[in-house]
Amino acid sequence: MSLLDPKTWQPVRLSGGESEVVQPATGESLGSVHLATSEDVSVAAQSAVAAQAAWARTPHLVRAAVLRRAGDLFCEYADELREWLVRESGSIPGKADFELHVAAQECYEAAALATRPTGQTLPSEQPRLSWTRRVPAGIVGVIAPFNAPLILAVRSVAPALALGNAALLKPDPRTAVCGGLALAAVFAEAGLPEHLLHVLPGGAGTGQALVAEPGVPVISFTGSTAVGRAVGEAAGRHLKRAHLELGGNSALVVLEDADVEAAVAQASWGSFFHQGQICMTTGRHLVHASLYDDYVERLAAKADSLTVGDPHRDRVHLGPVIDRGQLTRIHGLVEASTARGAVLAAGGKHHDLFYRPTVLAGVDDRTPAYTEEVFGPVAPVRPFSTTEEAAGLASAGPYGLSLGIITRDTALGLELADRIPKGIAHINDQTVNDEAVAPFGGVAASGTGARFGGEANLAAFTELRWTTVRREAVGHPF
């Protein structure tokens, strides 16, 4: 049985026309989806209002059962969904399996949220019972990107639904099936009542309409820092809460006592996983000067050994980048970096949308691929001499998402991590990690400090209400 039949996968015909679903590795058309306009956003929000009110009153065990069933379905339909992730988003099968695993875990963790304590009893100066209670926010608008389309949609949709909300999901139109329609199909089969989840593929205009829609009080946005600033500004004008998980240029610090071979094994994954199209990608390799030459040589050899190609047809390490625009940006940053003196130790070449894993040595603060988020398989490497210098380099720049430190002295690694302002830190691991139970998010230009995952979702998708009860109404001084 198929979960995603192209003839039936979008029963509600949106009014924005059709958009072709393209396989980036081949340019082949996989079908088409209907795009949403601002009118569609308003209609969806209006239809969600009544459904959400009823859903919020639904017993928590019923909501939890729907979320558990959804998690089971991501496992049950793994073969079909894996193929969509591989073909539509350019994922290698292992990355697709990771997305499916996390998607299932997000649903199971969300199911547990429905049974969490919802408030506290408070002391009061008055003769009354006083308490707080978490209540659903109402309708949550979710804007998700192309790079990990399933994870970055379900991590907001699942907890929002579990806590009694409705959700309006705008996936990137380039991954509208695996990042949008797949969720709608899974939750429909899991028993979610109608009108609680609306999938609204579209571009910037659709996202702007979702942020402006009066019936949507909470926005969950994952994407670039530039777009996130615009979303935050627009949400502020409408007095809405916006959870912003934005870009990064994460550092991997390799200390003097590190095993170079082990460090390179971590580093290659951190920079080249999913073609570097991950917000947590290792964008800066900071290596102790005594290890620098050996590290560059080994990392370049590793990059040269990796295969790049169509993950649907061949066993490869890297698939295609998402589209021509992304390819142009990656290659432009590499060329600008070598023009400013960086040394191309590996890669720097591409065929169609397949970009070779690239290592740049001799980088500094003037190197574009070092100072900017590349969002491609590019590893700039820079030496340092002291831990103080390493802390300064890792802290520099506008971003504050993830940090990796490789050292045999874990106490030193923890001490160094405490000196570097980031939302996430890993000792003896690279920068790309995600678990449904863990709070995820960054600081500074990487986000507003909002967190997704585990109990952090309680604050993200509910309102805290204060309630008091007296035995009987009494007068006041006037």
Side-chain angles (χ1 to χ4, degrees):
M1 183 174 62
S2 174
L3 180 71
L4 288 169
D5 182 347
K7 297 179 181 178
T8 60
W9 65 19
Q10 200 164 337
V12 176
R13 187 173 293 273
L14 301 172
S15 60
E18 291 191 9
S19 176
E20 194 174 21
V21 179
V22 176
Q23 183 172 338
T26 63
E28 176 187 352
S29 175
L30 303 176
S32 63
V33 296
H34 294 283
L35 299 180
T37 64
S38 58
E39 291 78 11
D40 293 318
V41 172
S42 293
V43 170
Q46 292 166 16
S47 70
V49 170
Q52 186 274 323
W55 179 243
R57 294 191 297 271
T58 300
H60 64 278
L61 292 178
V62 175
R63 286 186 272 120
V66 170
L67 270 296
R68 286 194 299 271
R69 178 60 179 148
D72 291 342
L73 289 170
F74 280 117
C75 300
E76 185 177 329
Y77 288 104
D79 290 344
E80 182 180 357
L81 294 174
R82 180 189 305 110
E83 182 166 355
W84 274 105
L85 283 161
V86 168
R87 300 187 72 183
E88 188 184 26
S89 74
S91 300
I92 63 172
K95 187 261 189 183
D97 286 338
F98 175 71
E99 285 212 51
L100 289 164
H101 170 75
V102 173
Q105 294 304 314
E106 291 285 358
C107 290
Y108 298 143
E109 285 296 316
L113 289 176
T115 59
R116 290 285 203 280
T118 59
Q120 294 178 311
T121 302
L122 305 176
S124 177
E125 296 179 357
Q126 303 296 322
R128 61 190 177 190
L129 180 61
S130 176
W131 74 93
T132 61
R133 179 184 171 214
R134 290 202 171 274
V135 297
I139 301 175
V140 176
V142 180
I143 302 174
F146 73 84
N147 57 320
L150 182 55
I151 291 176
L152 300 180
V154 76
R155 73 171 180 185
S156 292
V157 168
L161 293 173
L163 292 166
N165 301 286
L168 272 56
L169 167 63
K170 190 206 85 65
D172 189 300
R174 293 170 290 186
T175 49
V177 178
C178 57
L181 302 182
L183 279 80
V186 162
F187 279 104
E189 188 163 332
L192 185 71
E194 291 186 346
H195 308 300
L196 284 173
L197 174 59
H198 297 259
V199 177
L200 303 163
T206 307
Q208 291 165 0
L210 185 56
V211 175
E213 173 58 41
V216 181
V218 175
I219 298 294
S220 172
F221 172 84
T222 303
S224 72
T225 297
V227 177
R229 290 185 192 278
V231 169
E233 290 170 3
R237 288 196 299 273
H238 295 284
L239 300 180
K240 294 188 179 188
R241 222 174 347 139
H243 303 293
L244 306 176
E245 200 274 283
L246 309 177
N249 190 10
S250 298
L252 178 68
V253 181
V254 181
L255 295 179
E256 184 177 11
D257 66 346
D259 180 318
V260 175
E261 183 176 356
V264 166
Q266 294 284 344
S268 59
W269 181 265
S271 280
F272 305 140
F273 175 63
H274 194 46
Q275 299 77 263
Q277 298 173 124
I278 301 289
C279 60
M280 300 168 282
T281 289
T282 302
R284 294 176 294 158
H285 297 242
L286 306 176
V287 182
H288 192 272
S290 65
L291 309 177
Y292 176 78
D293 290 338
D294 189 19
Y295 184 95
V296 170
E297 182 179 351
R298 289 174 184 256
L299 184 59
K302 183 69 172 179
D304 287 337
S305 74
L306 300 177
T307 55
V308 182
D310 182 353
H312 185 240
R313 298 179 179 177
D314 303 306
R315 292 188 64 180
V316 297
H317 298 101
L318 283 77
V321 298
I322 192 66
D323 60 17
R324 184 67 56 179
Q326 186 65 18
L327 177 77
T328 299
R329 171 175 168 74
I330 295 166
H331 195 54
L333 285 169
V334 170
E335 289 191 318
S337 297
T338 56
R340 285 184 172 268
V343 177
L344 192 64
K349 301 175 181 178
H350 66 91
H351 172 67
D352 293 331
L353 297 183
F354 303 103
Y355 205 88
R356 289 292 313 169
T358 298
V359 178
L360 293 172
V363 302
D364 57 27
D365 291 338
R366 302 173 302 163
T367 306
Y370 173 82
T371 59
E372 299 182 36
E373 181 183 31
V374 178
F375 225 63
V378 179
V381 190
R382 181 173 183 173
F384 66 85
S385 297
T386 66
T387 54
E388 289 73 20
E389 183 184 5
L393 290 173
S395 301
Y399 297 103
L401 184 52
S402 188
L403 169 70
I405 298 174
I406 308 296
T407 178
R408 289 186 171 93
D409 186 342
T410 54
L412 176 60
L414 287 168
E415 179 186 344
L416 179 59
D418 284 343
R419 298 163 60 185
I420 301 169
K422 306 292 176 185
I424 304 165
H426 304 291
I427 311 302
N428 287 325
D429 204 348
Q430 43 74 47
T431 56
V432 181
N433 284 279
D434 193 11
E435 292 186 23
V437 300
F440 185 97
V443 297
S446 292
T448 54
R451 294 293 181 269
F452 302 107
E455 293 191 354
N457 287 319
L458 287 168
F461 302 117
T462 64
E463 300 289 355
L464 192 60
R465 178 180 296 169
W466 179 39
T467 304
T468 67
V469 175
R470 290 179 180 268
R471 181 182 296 275
E472 58 185 20
V474 297
H476 287 276
F478 60 86

